Amino acid sequence: MTFDYAHLIPVVPEIAVLVLASTLLLVDLWLKDRERGINHVIAVLGLLVVIGLTGLVGGGEREIVLGGTYVRDPMSDLLKIAILLISLLTFVYSRDYLRDRQMMVGEFYVLTLFAMLGMMVMVSANSFLTLYLGLELLALSLYTLVAFDRDSPKGAEAAMKYFVLGALGSGLLLYGLSMLYGATGSLELGAVAGAVALQGATNQVLVFGLVFVVIGIGFKFGAVPFHMWVPDTYEGAPNPVVLFLGSAPKIAAFALAFRLLVDGLGALHAEWQGMLIILAVISMAVGNIVAIAQTNIKRMLAYSTISHVGFIFLGLIGGNAEAFSAAMFYAIVYALMAAGGFGLLVMMSREGFEVERLEDLKGLNERGSWQAAMMGLVMFSMAGVPPTVGFMAKLLVLEAVISVGLWWLALVAVFFSIIGAFYYLRVIKMMYFDKPETAEPLVFGTGARLAISINGLAILLLGLFPAVLLTYCQAAFV
């Protein structure tokens, strides 16, 4: 491989994130406890710079660099911007929570930045090796973040479960990739796609490799029946970690599925379509039905996540540009909604008190009408109620499914969405019609108040004007 410095230009955002994480790691060594807020300032300003750099190096024709292992294209540009913005919201929402609990240490920001770097590598991966390196960088950072509160037994237990099941998923995915490499003789996705097109489903090693890859993707998405880690991890992890874990990684998981199934194994669409249909249906069924029985709001949102994963799979099932853009739109929108929902839980928690029960949201409107309105928008959007963006996301995915003749699948999705609306509307009812358990007013910092306002209003405005985001999603697959 001939090294050319020009090949580093598309990788500038990733290099900037690495420099930012390393800088924070060093700066934190010299900070006293009362100066930890500097970590937050550096992280937020650094992320704003990275977002600017991503915009500068983005656009234009598709580029494949670093010996064919890395790609920059419209899809990677958009997904990286979305990951960076969601991560920025995570930092802003988490500031007061971390400060009140003396957890505003450099490790939180460094681990989050490394996780973000892993996601950016996954988004731009053009070979099995790059994809797996990005995935493991993300996973190892998240395992550590889940156990970030060292004094929490629940956090340690959640991290252990997440680590064991995550390692199992990674192992299965790696096994599938090794079979694909054996069958095609290449790690580069373009060469794999060419070999797969020639061999088709006649090569049994290829088909078995595909099965393990789909199982690995199911683990990483948290799709049923590979979802066991999701509710326990969400319940045990600190709220800021759940906020991050439940939002941005879904965008990276979409990229993982697209790069492997479409860029690499597109010729086997008929084979992986059937598997994704099964995962989508049982994820929507189990996610929506089990969520109704939850009394812990973090577990409820965990099962809600599982049901939304089913919808993302519906988009991928379509197998055409319209369906892929709908799935990408859904993944980004879901990350935005999850950031708003978990962000409010982080902001409502105070020193010595974690918002975990559904009852903790009773009478929220009397304690903070603006916060209740923002949470209401998030819940309506997740339920798919117009004119929020969640409605548009569901509509686009259903249109994509219907366009390929899968009417019955669209009807199944609508049926389970109606069931799922119950637990979202229950939260609305508790906030507006029940009496609060405490009269203590909600006190939010200016940054968090501004962030939740932008987050909530974006959910509404993107629903009224979906073309603002949808145009970019469609342009990624032209």
Side-chain angles (χ1 to χ4, degrees), residues 189-235:
L189 291 177
V192 169
V196 170
L198 284 175
Q199 300 176 40
T202 56
N203 188 333
Q204 293 301 306
V205 176
L206 209 54
V207 176
F208 274 109
L210 171 64
V211 171
F212 282 103
V213 165
V214 171
I215 292 173
I217 291 172
F219 262 109
K220 296 307 172 187
F221 261 106
V224 178
F226 314 110
H227 66 291
M228 298 76 76
W229 61 271
V230 181
D232 291 342
T233 304
Y234 277 37
E235 184 181 8

Side-chain angles (χ1 to χ4, degrees), residues 463-476:
L464 293 170
F465 309 102
V468 174
L469 175 61
L470 185 58
T471 304
Y472 289 103
C473 293
Q474 291 171 336

Side-chain angles (χ1 to χ4, degrees), residues 293-455:
Q294 303 304 312
T295 55
N296 181 302
I297 189 166
K298 288 162 72 176
R299 289 186 74 87
M300 188 199 86
L301 289 175
Y303 281 103
S304 158
T305 296
I306 293 167
S307 70
H308 285 286
V309 163
F311 266 92
I312 296 174
F313 281 164
L314 288 185
L316 291 170
I317 286 165
N320 53 41
E322 178 192 0
F324 297 146
S325 60
M328 186 160 84
F329 184 84
Y330 200 102
I332 295 173
V333 163
Y334 174 73
L336 185 67
M337 295 187 298
F342 286 116
L344 272 163
L345 298 188
V346 171
M347 292 159 60
M348 289 168 62
S349 300
R350 55 186 183 277
E351 191 172 2
F353 174 74
E354 300 285 324
V355 175
E356 291 190 339
R357 301 174 307 146
L358 279 170
E359 283 74 13
D360 295 332
L361 295 176
K362 281 184 174 178
L364 180 62
N365 183 50
E366 294 182 23
R367 300 174 59 206
S369 55
W370 182 246
Q371 290 81 3
M374 294 300 103
M375 182 60 104
L377 278 174
V378 171
M379 291 295 118
F380 278 130
S381 188
M382 285 193 171
V385 175
T388 59
V389 71
F391 168 75
M392 282 306 303
K394 280 187 165 62
L395 182 65
L396 291 169
V397 167
L398 293 176
E399 279 182 355
V401 172
I402 291 171
S403 69
V404 293
L406 295 170
W407 279 90
W408 68 270
L409 192 54
L411 290 174
V412 168
V414 171
F415 174 71
F416 286 119
S417 289
I418 293 170
I419 292 177
F422 171 79
Y423 57 86
Y424 295 121
L425 296 180
R426 181 173 59 186
V427 173
I428 305 281
K429 176 254 180 192
M430 285 181 164
M431 291 193 302
Y432 283 93
F433 298 102
D434 290 353
K435 288 292 177 189
E437 293 186 344
T438 172
E440 188 175 346
L442 296 170
V443 180
F444 295 164
T446 306
R449 188 186 294 274
L450 181 63
I452 193 59
S453 301
I454 293 172
N455 198 159

Side-chain angles (χ1 to χ4, degrees), residues 10-11 15 25 27-28 71 94 104 168 232 250 273 277 293 342 369 425 432:
V11 198
I15 295 173
L25 204 57
V27 169
D28 189 62
V71 61
S94 306
M104 192 180 274
L168 177 63
D232 291 342
K250 291 295 176 289
Q273 183 190 50
I277 287 175
F342 286 116
S369 55
L425 296 180
Y432 283 93

Side-chain angles (χ1 to χ4, degrees), residues 17-325:
V17 172
L18 181 61
V19 170
L20 178 59
S22 304
T23 304
L24 271 169
L25 204 57
L26 287 174
V27 169
D28 189 62
L29 290 173
W30 307 101
L31 293 179
K32 298 173 182 172
D33 286 344
R34 66 175 183 278
E35 300 169 339
R36 298 291 182 193
I38 294 175
N39 285 326
H40 178 79
V41 175
I42 294 175
V44 169
L45 292 179
L47 267 188
L48 290 173
V49 171
V50 176
I51 291 170
L53 288 173
T54 308
L56 278 177
V57 303
E61 295 296 318
R62 186 173 192 257
E63 297 176 82
I64 296 179
V65 297
L66 302 178
T69 60
Y70 219 72
V71 61
R72 191 215 56 74
D73 55 15
M75 186 184 96
S76 66
D77 293 339
L78 180 56
L79 293 184
K80 283 180 195 173
I81 292 282
I83 288 169
L84 291 167
L85 288 174
I86 297 295
S87 303
L88 182 64
L89 285 175
T90 301
F91 285 159
V92 176
Y93 286 142
S94 306
R95 181 180 179 278
D96 293 342
Y97 182 102
L98 296 171
R99 184 197 57 204
D100 293 345
R101 292 160 179 77
Q102 289 77 49
M103 292 167 66
M104 192 180 274
V105 292
E107 288 88 340
F108 176 81
Y109 295 96
V110 171
L111 287 169
T112 307
L113 287 170
F114 276 127
M116 198 189 314
L117 178 60
M119 288 188 270
M120 294 170 77
V121 171
M122 287 169 65
V123 163
S124 275
N126 195 47
S127 85
F128 291 155
L129 186 61
T130 323
L131 198 62
Y132 197 75
L133 286 175
L135 178 64
E136 285 307 290
L137 180 57
L138 167 65
L140 291 173
S141 304
L142 290 179
Y143 300 149
T144 317
L145 278 171
V146 171
F148 185 68
D149 185 358
R150 290 175 296 180
D151 299 327
S152 168
K154 284 173 66 179
E157 181 185 344
M160 185 61 73
K161 287 180 181 173
Y162 186 29
F163 173 71
V164 171
L165 292 173
L168 177 63
S170 296
L172 291 169
L173 179 64
L174 187 60
Y175 187 52
L177 294 180
S178 66
M179 294 177 83
L180 295 180
Y181 173 65
T184 61
S186 178
L187 294 173
E188 194 264 315
L189 291 177
V192 169
V196 170
L198 284 175
Q199 300 176 40
T202 56
N203 188 333
Q204 293 301 306
V205 176
L206 209 54
V207 176
F208 274 109
L210 171 64
V211 171
F212 282 103
V213 165
V214 171
I215 292 173
I217 291 172
F219 262 109
K220 296 307 172 187
F221 261 106
V224 178
F226 314 110
H227 66 291
M228 298 76 76
W229 61 271
V230 181
D232 291 342
T233 304
Y234 277 37
E235 184 181 8
N239 283 350
V241 176
V242 182
L243 159 62
F244 181 67
L245 173 65
S247 53
K250 291 295 176 289
I251 300 174
F254 165 80
L256 169 75
F258 185 85
R259 295 295 185 203
L260 284 175
L261 298 180
V262 181
D263 281 356
L265 303 169
L268 296 178
H269 174 247
E271 280 70 27
W272 55 257
Q273 183 190 50
M275 291 184 248
L276 288 193
I277 287 175
I278 295 170
L279 293 182
V281 171
I282 58 178
S283 295
M284 288 186 290
V286 173
N288 281 315
I289 293 172
V290 179
I292 293 173
Q294 303 304 312
T295 55
N296 181 302
I297 189 166
K298 288 162 72 176
R299 289 186 74 87
M300 188 199 86
L301 289 175
Y303 281 103
S304 158
T305 296
I306 293 167
S307 70
H308 285 286
V309 163
F311 266 92
I312 296 174
F313 281 164
L314 288 185
L316 291 170
I317 286 165
N320 53 41
E322 178 192 0
F324 297 146
S325 60

